[in-house]
Amino acid sequence: MRLPIAAWAATRTVVLLCVFKVITVPGPDVTSDVSVIYQGWYRVLSTGVFPPDDVTWQYPPAAALAILSPALLPFLEYPAAFYVLACAADAAAFALLLYASRRGAGRERGRSRAGAWVWVAGVPLLGPTVYARYDLMVTTVAVAALLALSRSPRTAGALAAFGALLKVWPALLLAGTPRGRVTRAVWGAAVVTALALTAAFAAAMPGALDFLTHQRDRGTEVESVGALVFHVARHFGWEGQVLLNYGSVEFLGPYVDLVSTAALLCTAAAFGWLLRWRLRAVEWTASTAADAAFAAVLLFTVTSRVISPQYMVWLVGLAAVCVTLRTGRQGLPALLVVAATGVTLLEFPLNFGSVVASDALGVTLLVVRNGLLVAAAVLACARLWRTTVTEPLRRAEQAGRDGGGEDRGDGDGLGRRPGAPERQDGLVSR
């Protein structure tokens, strides 16, 4: 127990020294998002309205709470308070993962300390960016939701909804909940929480839902998978530009709309696969919900028009939960995500100039990072399908053959007799 705590403290000290600029990190100043953009939004939100006519405000209404949170530390300047709170959220996620692993040492032996180590190693690999964005706070909520699922489905649903109102993607945590009473409890709590919070924000603060239209005209961000088309095309005479647009550095010009539309279609196809998986899945284990959430967010990330560096902390958090639960098989995809996080630091901020220029170094870093993410997504989906669809059906078929056919025609194809109760204890449904 002492070793992971010491490692966490040492690595986070380095991250804090970076955001407070005691240690200088080459490349763009990643802390300007806090000192300029977030602080500007803070001034507007403090008046009781969402930023009017600001297309860079692309977040659900509860994001206001993260931006306003430095008010909890009035004795510190806004940037310093934000970094301290980001570190506190980091510590909270780490504590949750450690607690889950300790619980597994006794009554629930399906838990591992590997998740805490993934968190210890993965978060600082993003460098100062991880404390200079509010995504770490969102990820902590998501980690809490997944770890709460086995004991309190309604709490998990409420946390997932709150996370979705912070930054949308935690809604994907609902993709893998076990069918039956658990799903009804989780989804019911999520819907009630989401509606109540949205109504409260809409009534209290004008402009709460304006974010829904601010994503519409985005281009293709230079770090996304689709952007690789234009990085290569620039060397063959493509006449587009790289510009700051809608709060990120994007490609603008011929065929960008086509690639952006293709990305949206890929996202739709990914959701279609998730729906097909859910309909075909026949067995849930204690880790299925986390494994499905991990696969879903990976699919969302690699098909998105935007892959901002801070997105990696989402994946690190979900990977940490997956490997905390021993019944899962997402160990290799989790390692690929940690490796991709380290490459992300190399491309942003250390060599972002090369990425923007589409030179050999920048393109190579993007190919490696995005390749690792695509590989992790494919592996995560394949392992999710195998553990919940292929292997259970194979076992059922083998059990039918071993039974000599004496119960043939009396079962449901899954090794259960008609009318036999389906076992569903927390997250386990067989």
Side-chain angles (χ1 to χ4, degrees):
M1 183 66 70
R2 292 180 181 177
L3 185 57
I5 292 174
W8 182 90
T11 53
R12 276 39 176 197
T13 297
V14 174
V15 175
L16 285 170
L17 290 174
C18 289
V19 292
F20 282 108
K21 299 182 181 178
V22 177
I23 297 175
T24 302
V25 177
D29 179 10
V30 302
T31 64
S32 63
D33 274 38
V34 175
S35 59
V36 178
I37 299 174
Y38 285 11
Q39 192 163 4
W41 287 337
Y42 174 85
R43 296 189 186 101
V44 175
L45 291 166
S46 297
T47 66
V49 299
F50 284 88
D53 302 320
D54 184 352
V55 295
T56 63
W57 177 263
Q58 299 166 7
Y59 310 111
L65 300 178
I67 303 303
L68 291 169
S69 62
L72 297 172
L73 303 175
F75 49 88
L76 293 176
E77 294 184 357
Y78 184 91
F82 188 90
Y83 304 144
V84 169
L85 291 172
C87 185
D90 181 359
F94 177 60
L96 287 170
L97 291 164
L98 270 184
Y99 176 73
S101 68
R102 287 186 64 188
R103 222 172 50 192
R107 182 174 57 180
E108 299 177 21
R109 296 188 179 278
R111 304 298 180 91
S112 165
R113 197 169 290 175
W117 279 111
V118 166
W119 185 257
V120 167
V123 169
L125 284 178
L126 273 181
T129 303
V130 77
Y131 279 9
R133 306 290 188 272
Y134 83 90
D135 296 77
L136 186 56
M137 302 173 183
V138 184
T139 303
T140 299
V141 174
V143 168
L146 285 176
L147 292 177
L149 190 54
S150 64
R151 300 212 168 201
S152 179
R154 288 184 176 82
T155 299
L159 287 170
F162 178 57
L165 287 176
L166 283 169
K167 205 165 187 180
V168 180
W169 69 266
L172 296 172
L173 304 182
L174 305 176
T177 55
R179 287 196 291 261
R181 65 177 181 83
V182 175
T183 285
R184 289 193 294 272
V186 173
W187 291 17
V191 169
V192 170
T193 302
L195 290 177
L197 287 176
T198 301
F201 276 108
M205 299 179 68
L209 301 180
D210 288 353
F211 77 98
L212 293 172
T213 61
H214 290 171
Q215 291 269 358
R216 185 173 50 203
D217 299 320
R218 295 201 66 159
T220 296
E221 194 261 342
V222 295
E223 297 162 277
S224 65
V225 173
L228 289 170
V229 173
F230 300 112
H231 283 293
V232 174
R234 292 177 83 183
H235 295 279
F236 294 93
W238 181 69
E239 297 179 352
Q241 297 176 291
V242 176
L243 296 173
L244 183 64
N245 187 53
Y246 287 87
S248 64
V249 180
E250 300 179 352
F251 281 115
L252 299 174
Y255 308 111
V256 171
D257 287 345
L258 180 63
V259 171
S260 296
T261 300
L264 292 174
L265 291 175
C266 288
T267 299
F271 285 136
W273 182 88
L274 286 169
L275 177 60
R276 182 169 182 264
W277 163 78
R278 186 167 179 86
L279 293 174
R280 292 286 305 276
V282 294
E283 180 176 281
W284 267 258
T285 70
S287 63
T288 299
D291 292 349
F294 184 45
V297 176
L298 273 167
L299 287 173
F300 171 82
T301 301
V302 299
T303 61
S304 176
R305 293 174 293 174
V306 179
I307 301 182
S308 295
Q310 61 269 22
Y311 289 14
M312 299 305 300
V313 75
W314 311 349
L315 298 172
V316 169
L318 298 181
V321 175
C322 287
V323 298
T324 295
L325 306 171
R326 291 183 186 274
T327 55
R329 298 186 188 175
Q330 301 293 357
L332 180 55
L335 289 176
L336 292 176
V337 163
V338 172
T341 304
V343 180
T344 299
L345 176 62
L346 295 178
E347 64 93 357
F348 184 89
L350 300 184
N351 293 287
F352 194 59
S354 292
V355 171
V356 172
S358 301
D359 67 19
L361 175 60
V363 173
T364 299
L365 289 172
L366 284 181
V367 167
V368 173
R369 196 280 303 275
N370 290 347
L372 288 168
L373 289 179
V374 170
V378 171
L379 279 173
C381 291
R383 292 182 175 205
L384 177 65
W385 187 276
R386 186 164 64 247
T387 57
T388 59
V389 181
T390 307
E391 291 180 355
L393 288 175
R394 186 181 297 126
R395 288 196 299 269
E397 291 172 0
Q398 183 63 44
R401 287 193 294 268
D402 292 344
E406 54 190 49
D407 289 330
R408 195 167 296 165
D410 295 333
D412 63 359
L414 301 179
R416 293 192 300 267
R417 297 187 305 276
E422 179 178 315
R423 292 177 58 193
Q424 185 164 305
D425 302 321
L427 294 182
V428 183
S429 174
R430 294 182 187 273

